[in-house]
Amino acid sequence: MPMPRSIGMRIGFAVLGTALSALGTARAQSPSPNPMTVPAMAGPLAANPHPVSFDGGPLGNIYVTGAVSGLGLLQSEPFPSDHQSRADLSNGLVSVQNTAGLVQFFAQAGLYSFPALGAPYLQSWKATGEFFGPVPVAYAKLMPSDAFSVEVGKLPTLFGAEYGFTFQNMNVERGLLWNQEPIVSRGIQANYTTGPLAFSASLNDGFYSDSYNWLSGTVTWTINKENTLALAGGGNFGQTGKNALPKSPYFYNNSDIVNLIYTYNRAPWTVTPYFQYTHVPGNALLGAPHDNSTIGAAILASYALSDRVSLAGRAEYIAATGDALSPNLLYGPDSSAMSLTLTPTWQNGIWFVRGDLSFVQAFGATAGSAFGRDGAGTTQGRAVIEAGILF
């Protein structure tokens, strides 16, 4: 049963109160500089360089960080299940972790939403219930050396150039390519680094299906301090049955994904172009006997105008290659789409404000599968503002 909106809002404000209280009482214990690398952040938002910490005995220093933010959204041509305007808690998350020693851990808890271009918006209380619950990411990490580690639990995906939660990304909303990727998977992951190369391999349940029949991995080459190149690939080596949950769609659970991601990072620029290919098998019992694939490309960039102000943007194009008997992966089995997003950001210490202006255009859409109450619209514009703290 969905959580009532009033309860979800009370939980969100409780998280905010706890976070601000912790900041006020534990600042004296804050180390410098920030030792955290998770949750990963693409910028331009930066984590608090003086996180709260306390002595965890044999586990060493325990760090408490998080994000509390709200958003407002206006859009044209809303989907039948959506509204023209929204106000919501986009993040009410607290993270707890240690970062040294043989045994390490990371756990993230609270409310969250996943605003994504070209898709209906789910309120945070509903997204939390229908996706990964109030503890979306949590894992234990065994690290016998600086070069090798093993993680077990609810793990962030290895795919894509955009992360799950809004504060981790250049833009408030995720893009069209992100819509084809898993967000969190349960499983085990091994990591190994040698020289400029870093390898990760994972056995997991893909789109959170509870069937551990996915293999995924990445190879990252740090060419130099400004340039990196990553190849990610994987997919289902078995077959996962039908699941009606939005986090575990049948066709995606049985897909294969390949990413090629390049990142240039030299102040004031961060530029990340990437390519994505997915293959999705058909299923005659579900009315789509033919296979389908998507081919997409995107470029994400951020430019720092000053220490506090930056401007980010994203452009992308994605096309499905199926036919009328293939699964619908976009706005019809053989449709395509492009998007443009512009995101100005201001951050001062732990406080930030930013906004998205975005536009999505669908091509070759099947009647009833695109935008608007009747699914006949081919364009959607959005204006989003997000404000909050990173503590």
Side-chain angles (χ1 to χ4, degrees), residues 173-198:
E173 300 173 278
R174 278 0 69 72
L176 299 173
L177 273 65
W178 182 87
N179 284 333
Q180 307 293 318
E181 305 158 2
I183 307 171
V184 173
S185 303
R186 290 168 291 197
I188 183 170
Q189 178 177 312
N191 310 292
Y192 178 70
T193 302
T194 176
L197 297 176

Side-chain angles (χ1 to χ4, degrees), residues 63-82:
Y63 299 94
V64 181
T65 61
V68 178
S69 61
L71 64 75
L73 179 151
L74 291 173
Q75 61 182 333
S76 64
E77 298 285 8
F79 290 91
S81 61
D82 210 348

